[in-house]
Amino acid sequence: MPAFNIVPFVSVENMMRLVHAVGIEALLTRLAAAIAEDFAQWHAFHKTPRIAAHSPDGVIELMPTSDGTTYGFKYVNGHPSNTVGGRQTVTAFGVLADVGNGYPVLITEMTLLTALRTAATSALAARHLARPNSRTMAVIGNGAQAEFQALAFRALLGVDALRLYDIDPAATRKCLRNLAGLGFDLTACTNTAEALRGADIVTTVTADKRNAVILGDNLVGEGVHVNAVGGDCPGKTELAPEVLRRADLFVEYEPQTRIEGEIQQLAPDHPVTELWRVLAGDALGRTDPRQITVFDSVGFAIEDFSALRTVRDLLAEYPYYEDLDLLADPDDPRDLFGMLQRARPPRPAA
Amino acid sequence: MPAFNIVPFVSVENMMRLVHAVGIEALLTRLAAAIAEDFAQWHAFHKTPRIAAHSPDGVIELMPTSDGTTYGFKYVNGHPSNTVGGRQTVTAFGVLADVGNGYPVLITEMTLLTALRTAATSALAARHLARPNSRTMAVIGNGAQAEFQALAFRALLGVDALRLYDIDPAATRKCLRNLAGLGFDLTACTNTAEALRGADIVTTVTADKRNAVILGDNLVGEGVHVNAVGGDCPGKTELAPEVLRRADLFVEYEPQTRIEGEIQQLAPDHPVTELWRVLAGDALGRTDPRQITVFDSVGFAIEDFSALRTVRDLLAEYPYYEDLDLLADPDDPRDLFGMLQRARPPRPAA
């Protein structure tokens, strides 16, 4: 039995080992299954919109949730200008804890894990919202999230043709380089319209922090599924409102998406469907091949919870973690001071 | 310059080293100074009541705050029945981050640090609320927090006579043992009335999670300062409401204390004074030697912030920390996937 003071910690290096040991696509599939399972238990979760501390440079957020047995939260920042100094725009770490005694049971990096769970959530939604046999996806925005989306859509939907576009050609080149040799049919495009040609699915995942029109109304044809990932905070959207008005809209958690998602551009009573209802069989996903569907993804705490518990479970099989001496654990719980006193180093002899 | 991926981590063992290197009373004094400094900057802080996840067994809370330059939060649980299984009722860890880029700059155990900052806050308040030259303190509840309170009151006020009482005599014996040889005049008492005899200050710090009357009205005489530490959540109070009505009441952050503190027993408009106003010179502390004063302490996020930044500053002088590989740091910030891909272990030869 482990000592009470020890909490398993998954570093970035160990997370990468874990991902490769399981296999990226196998892990994405497993994450999607965990998210589907937790979304189907929607009412068991204590849900709260993220707690954000905004500043001129960005935002720091805490995203807690609990299913009554296990508690999880993620710390995540969003600082668009970080790349100038060589830092990530978004970094994250997360904690899982036992509701029964409040003790943390896992601390892990979540920058990589968030990229994986975001892609897994997108693909999970698309499995219910994209046309069956969708094989071609346009990826608008070829930054840090792009390749994860690509692999998730292949793992879950069989998408194997990608049409890539980014306002910065270097990003597209990076994406092509990373995906080369992985069995995709890859096409670099010089504008959004070209990227959308023949696409069954459009993933928008740009990093611009403003109300941009990445996807104009005239570009989105019948039957397309739009996986809108990049618009995820107040003032940051990617889709023309006309696209949203022509589409059936699916969201993670309506109160949060109204504030942070693409639908912040619409009337507050514009109808949307929460994804969990589709997964639970309470609502329909796509019903018509000509229908336009939009998954207005902003990222929700339950997805992080699902990811955290998946990592916790995997550690039993793949022990890629270190022991962190995080919690004071005196022999007598009331004797915290005695523990401290007994740790006093002996005085050097005079 | 440190790599961007690394965050300093202070384990329990390193926190104990740090405490002994600085000296407990010197550290308590330093913590009180930092808390006084931050409380005096009250309006610079982004304040939010703690975010609590309640369950039948206890509560898990996140306590974030920011002064606009630095962000801090504490994870803390409260599970009264934990001691049955040999765990701490309260454990905690904390994080400090740079508001400008959102990167964490410190992760530390906070079980010990919370015990220290709670005691430092109590003593800081008492320096403004207890009668000058107070030397004798009754300590009702001799659990994990008792000795820290004792040392803080000596370091900041010169209190050197302690009258100890706990419903469990074993707790009092533990407290006597730990404080023996530290220069206090110690008296073990068999009931609260006896403990209060001649006391200038009464500290109540019991762990009972209910509305208990640890301090009845008839026991509290003129001129006493009551340092009420143990009543800190809805349904958990220690003082008879009559004591509160006869006293001048001081709190950390009124909106939080109305819910969690002793004053949950009073009308919502019963007058209280926020401690920061006393520290900033905006309000008076004690004005009369016959006055009864109560510091209705529940613990506030700014105190944790002050403790976290004190530890961060001390690490420059006392490098008791480990490097934690917490943040993904690809060479090209947009190339998270490339970093992951390059970490793939080589396939074994067939």
Side-chain angles (χ1 to χ4, degrees):
Chain A
M1 203 177 84
F4 289 146
N5 62 312
I6 295 299
V7 180
F9 165 63
V10 181
S11 66
V12 175
E13 192 178 332
N14 272 325
M15 182 60 76
M16 295 197 292
R17 284 192 189 129
L18 182 64
V19 171
H20 289 302
V22 178
I24 303 184
E25 289 182 63
L27 180 54
L28 286 162
T29 303
R30 186 156 173 167
L31 288 170
I35 294 164
E37 199 174 287
D38 289 337
F39 269 41
Q41 307 268 338
W42 189 258
H43 294 296
F45 280 87
H46 178 79
K47 287 168 286 289
T48 173
R50 58 184 100 197
I51 301 118
H54 292 278
S55 66
D57 297 315
V59 64
I60 296 175
E61 298 174 333
L62 298 173
M63 300 168 70
T65 193
S66 163
D67 69 357
T69 302
T70 307
Y71 170 95
F73 82 86
K74 179 165 82 169
Y75 170 104
V76 59
N77 76 298
H79 286 73
S81 60
N82 265 9
T83 50
V84 177
R87 288 184 173 82
Q88 290 283 105
T89 301
V90 176
T91 62
F93 69 91
V95 174
L96 209 64
D98 183 330
V99 167
N101 60 39
Y103 272 44
V105 296
L106 174 70
I107 298 188
T108 176
E109 87 82 37
M110 281 194 86
T111 311
L112 278 163
L113 193 57
T114 297
L116 290 161
R117 72 82 162 137
T118 300
T121 305
S122 284
L124 173 66
R127 208 159 54 180
H128 295 267
L129 302 178
R131 276 181 284 112
N133 305 318
S134 291
R135 284 201 45 207
T136 301
M137 178 160 80
V139 182
I140 312 300
N142 300 156
Q145 173 65 205
E147 299 93 337
F148 296 96
Q149 289 282 337
L151 289 171
F153 276 76
R154 182 166 68 188
L156 273 88
L157 286 90
V159 164
D160 58 5
L162 302 176
R163 303 180 63 80
L164 308 173
Y165 172 66
D166 196 294
I167 46 166
D168 180 0
T172 305
R173 283 197 299 274
K174 179 257 338 178
C175 204
L176 283 172
R177 201 165 52 234
N178 283 336
L179 294 173
L182 297 181
F184 286 100
D185 174 5
L186 299 169
T187 308
C189 303
T190 54
N191 57 58
T192 301
E194 186 189 345
L196 262 65
R197 212 166 290 152
D200 306 301
I201 298 169
V202 182
T203 288
T204 58
V205 59
T206 65
D208 211 355
K209 191 180 178 171
R210 62 194 168 96
N211 292 310
V213 180
I214 307 300
L215 218 54
D217 185 35
N218 59 320
L219 294 176
V220 181
E222 282 188 350
V224 164
H225 172 59
V226 181
N227 173 41
V229 178
D232 61 359
C233 66
K236 182 168 185 290
T237 57
E238 294 179 324
L239 273 54
E242 295 76 19
V243 175
L244 300 172
R245 292 203 187 90
R246 287 164 56 213
D248 288 303
L249 306 175
F250 297 83
V251 302
E252 287 142 317
Y253 179 49
E254 185 178 337
Q256 183 179 315
T257 312
R258 291 277 177 205
I259 297 165
E260 301 173 359
E262 297 295 333
I263 59 169
Q264 65 187 274
Q265 305 180 80
L266 301 182
D269 60 350
H270 192 99
V272 300
T273 303
E274 288 185 332
L275 180 62
W276 72 269
R277 298 192 58 215
V278 178
L279 297 171
D282 281 357
L284 294 171
R286 174 176 291 272
T287 52
D288 186 307
R290 287 167 308 173
Q291 184 182 12
I292 297 172
T293 51
V294 172
F295 178 47
D296 185 3
S297 175
V298 296
F300 185 51
I302 294 179
E303 295 151 25
D304 299 311
F305 179 93
S306 310
L308 285 165
R309 74 175 177 87
T310 300
V311 168
R312 177 201 58 197
D313 293 349
L314 285 169
L315 292 185
E317 193 179 344
Y318 306 95
Y320 294 127
Y321 64 91
E322 300 155 52
D323 285 336
L324 224 56
D325 167 31
L326 184 71
L327 304 173
D329 179 36
D331 298 331
D332 171 357
R334 290 180 310 190
D335 197 11
L336 191 62
F337 186 82
M339 181 188 76
L340 175 63
Q341 215 170 25
R342 284 185 289 278
R344 180 193 293 273
R347 286 181 183 279
Chain B
M1 203 175 85
F4 289 146
N5 63 311
I6 295 299
V7 180
F9 165 64
V10 181
S11 66
V12 176
E13 192 178 332
N14 272 324
M15 182 61 77
M16 295 198 293
R17 284 191 188 130
L18 183 65
V19 171
H20 289 303
V22 178
I24 302 184
E25 289 183 64
L27 180 54
L28 286 162
T29 304
R30 187 158 173 165
L31 287 170
I35 294 163
E37 200 174 284
D38 289 337
F39 270 40
Q41 306 269 337
W42 189 257
H43 295 295
F45 280 87
H46 179 79
K47 289 169 284 290
T48 174
R50 59 184 98 196
I51 302 118
H54 292 278
S55 66
D57 297 314
V59 64
I60 296 176
E61 298 174 334
L62 298 173
M63 301 169 69
T65 192
S66 163
D67 68 357
T69 302
T70 307
Y71 170 95
F73 81 87
K74 179 165 81 168
Y75 170 105
V76 58
N77 76 299
H79 286 72
S81 61
N82 265 8
T83 49
V84 177
R87 288 184 173 82
Q88 289 283 106
T89 302
V90 175
T91 62
F93 69 91
V95 174
L96 209 63
D98 183 331
V99 167
N101 59 38
Y103 273 46
V105 297
L106 174 70
I107 299 189
T108 176
E109 87 83 35
M110 281 193 84
T111 311
L112 279 163
L113 193 57
T114 297
L116 291 161
R117 73 83 162 137
T118 300
T121 304
S122 284
L124 173 67
R127 208 160 53 178
H128 295 267
L129 302 178
R131 275 181 285 112
N133 307 317
S134 290
R135 283 199 46 205
T136 301
M137 178 160 80
V139 182
I140 313 300
N142 301 157
Q145 174 63 205
E147 299 94 335
F148 296 96
Q149 289 282 337
L151 289 172
F153 276 76
R154 183 166 67 186
L156 272 86
L157 286 90
V159 165
D160 57 6
L162 301 175
R163 302 180 66 80
L164 308 174
Y165 172 65
D166 196 293
I167 45 166
D168 178 1
T172 305
R173 284 197 298 275
K174 178 255 343 175
C175 204
L176 283 171
R177 200 164 54 234
N178 284 335
L179 293 172
L182 296 181
F184 287 99
D185 174 5
L186 298 168
T187 308
C189 302
T190 53
N191 57 59
T192 301
E194 186 190 344
L196 261 64
R197 211 166 292 153
D200 306 301
I201 298 169
V202 182
T203 288
T204 57
V205 59
T206 65
D208 211 355
K209 192 179 177 172
R210 62 194 167 95
N211 291 311
V213 179
I214 307 299
L215 217 55
D217 186 36
N218 59 320
L219 294 175
V220 181
E222 282 188 350
V224 165
H225 171 60
V226 180
N227 173 41
V229 178
D232 61 359
C233 65
K236 181 167 186 290
T237 58
E238 293 179 323
L239 273 54
E242 295 77 17
V243 176
L244 300 173
R245 291 201 188 92
R246 287 164 54 211
D248 287 302
L249 306 175
F250 297 83
V251 301
E252 288 142 317
Y253 178 50
E254 186 178 337
Q256 183 179 315
T257 312
R258 291 277 178 207
I259 298 165
E260 301 172 359
E262 296 295 333
I263 59 170
Q264 65 186 273
Q265 305 180 80
L266 301 182
D269 60 349
H270 191 100
V272 300
T273 303
E274 287 185 333
L275 180 62
W276 73 268
R277 298 192 58 214
V278 178
L279 298 171
D282 280 357
L284 294 169
R286 173 175 291 272
T287 52
D288 187 308
R290 288 166 308 173
Q291 184 183 11
I292 298 172
T293 50
V294 173
F295 178 47
D296 185 1
S297 175
V298 297
F300 185 51
I302 294 180
E303 295 151 24
D304 298 311
F305 180 93
S306 310
L308 286 165
R309 73 175 179 86
T310 301
V311 169
R312 177 201 58 195
D313 293 348
L314 286 169
L315 292 186
E317 194 179 345
Y318 306 95
Y320 294 127
Y321 64 93
E322 300 155 53
D323 285 335
L324 224 56
D325 167 30
L326 184 70
L327 305 173
D329 180 35
D331 299 330
D332 170 359
R334 290 180 310 189
D335 198 10
L336 191 63
F337 187 82
M339 182 188 76
L340 175 63
Q341 214 170 23
R342 284 185 288 277
R344 179 193 295 271
R347 285 180 184 279

